Amino acid sequence: MNTMKKFQDLPAILKDKNLDEVFIIGAAPSICNFNLELLDNKNCIFINSSVILHKLIKPSTSYFVSTDSLILGWSYFKEALKCDYLILRDNDRFRSSLDNVWYFECDDDYEAVKNNNSNFIAGFSSMIAAIHIFSKLKSKKINIVGFDACLSVDGYMYFWQKCFTDIKPFFISNRNLISTDDNDSQRKNWNLQKSFMNDILTYNDIEVIYH
């Protein structure tokens, strides 16, 4: 009988995968100006709603990363399940023994995850969690696409509000979970994320390229 799989065991499963270079794909509006064909035959890591682009890309291997405890309520989760590997924050809302679903322990406390040798993954955001995860998987070149530092562009927070609107996701309860306010708390959260991200990238000698 299959049991829920832990992230700590995933490196052994992926040992024959070449993860030296990966592309982490966020859902920010800058995606609208990016040529998706550049992601074909690449290691693609989709973050939350960016996975709606999965059907438009031909990755060599596809990954889905999320810290969202409400992940099961989003329409895009069906597309996420088509990825080769789902790496999710362990929570009580969704636990599965599916072959392609893996869970990580998460902590929002910077000090708790500051030591990269710990079992905890940074929980500040799904993007930061993905960077932390693939640093542990020994990636050496991380390309970041669609990451606009938590700030809205022309009133848009997500690319699917501006482009690819025909496949935009929705939350099944029709709750409005989208905020486009560039308020102090968002900026403070981003500064913490940036500090932690820089520490991880420097500690592991990872080259990062923003697109």
Side-chain angles (χ1 to χ4, degrees):
M1 180 178 180
N2 290 334
T3 57
M4 190 177 75
K5 295 178 290 299
K6 294 291 189 179
F7 170 74
Q8 292 95 306
D9 299 321
L10 188 56
I13 300 297
L14 298 176
K15 62 182 176 61
D16 294 326
K17 295 280 187 184
N18 183 355
L19 291 173
D20 286 349
E21 181 175 15
V22 299
F23 286 75
I24 300 180
I25 305 160
S30 57
I31 283 286
C32 296
N33 301 317
F34 184 81
N35 180 4
L36 295 180
E37 291 182 357
L38 297 175
L39 299 173
D40 288 348
N41 302 311
K42 300 294 194 301
N43 291 307
C44 292
I45 299 102
F46 298 95
I47 306 299
N48 294 329
S49 62
S50 72
V51 78
I52 64 173
L53 301 174
H54 180 250
K55 64 181 72 175
L56 306 178
I57 299 170
K58 300 172 183 177
S60 60
T61 307
S62 58
Y63 303 82
F64 175 78
V65 174
S66 181
T67 61
D68 188 353
S69 62
L70 299 176
I71 188 67
L72 198 61
W74 281 101
S75 61
Y76 61 73
F77 191 59
K78 286 186 177 180
E79 190 65 35
L81 288 170
K82 298 176 184 177
C83 290
D84 298 309
Y85 300 91
L86 283 76
I87 310 175
L88 308 176
R89 179 176 188 161
D90 187 7
N91 68 80
D92 293 332
R93 294 177 184 271
F94 177 72
R95 285 183 171 169
S96 171
S97 60
L98 290 172
D99 289 341
N100 63 334
V101 180
W102 300 77
Y103 292 91
F104 59 88
E105 294 180 90
C106 205
D107 202 308
D108 296 319
D109 182 355
Y110 176 86
E111 294 300 326
V113 294
K114 191 173 183 180
N115 178 1
N116 201 36
N117 294 320
S118 71
N119 289 327
F120 291 104
I121 298 297
F124 315 128
S125 76
S126 297
M127 175 65 78
I128 299 301
I131 292 171
H132 197 186
I133 285 167
F134 281 85
S135 73
K136 286 177 174 286
L137 292 173
K138 308 303 182 185
S139 295
K140 287 302 177 185
K141 184 176 182 180
I142 295 179
N143 296 270
I144 298 178
V145 181
F147 188 36
D148 297 352
C150 301
L151 302 177
S152 63
V153 176
D154 299 328
Y156 299 109
M157 195 76 159
Y158 304 98
F159 70 84
W160 39 263
Q161 295 171 298
K162 185 177 182 181
C163 59
F164 300 104
T165 55
D166 57 321
I167 57 173
K168 68 180 180 180
F170 58 90
F171 199 73
I172 58 174
S173 70
N174 293 321
R175 290 168 56 194
N176 180 15
L177 300 182
I178 300 172
S179 171
T180 57
D181 296 330
D182 298 333
N183 55 37
D184 290 340
S185 63
Q186 284 180 315
R187 283 191 289 270
K188 181 179 179 180
N189 185 47
W190 162 238
N191 287 332
L192 177 61
Q193 293 178 35
K194 182 169 64 173
S195 174
F196 180 82
M197 182 172 68
N198 288 338
D199 284 352
I200 289 296
L201 295 171
T202 301
Y203 179 85
N204 292 280
D205 192 25
I206 296 173
E207 178 185 2
V208 61
I209 300 174
Y210 293 91
H211 296 270

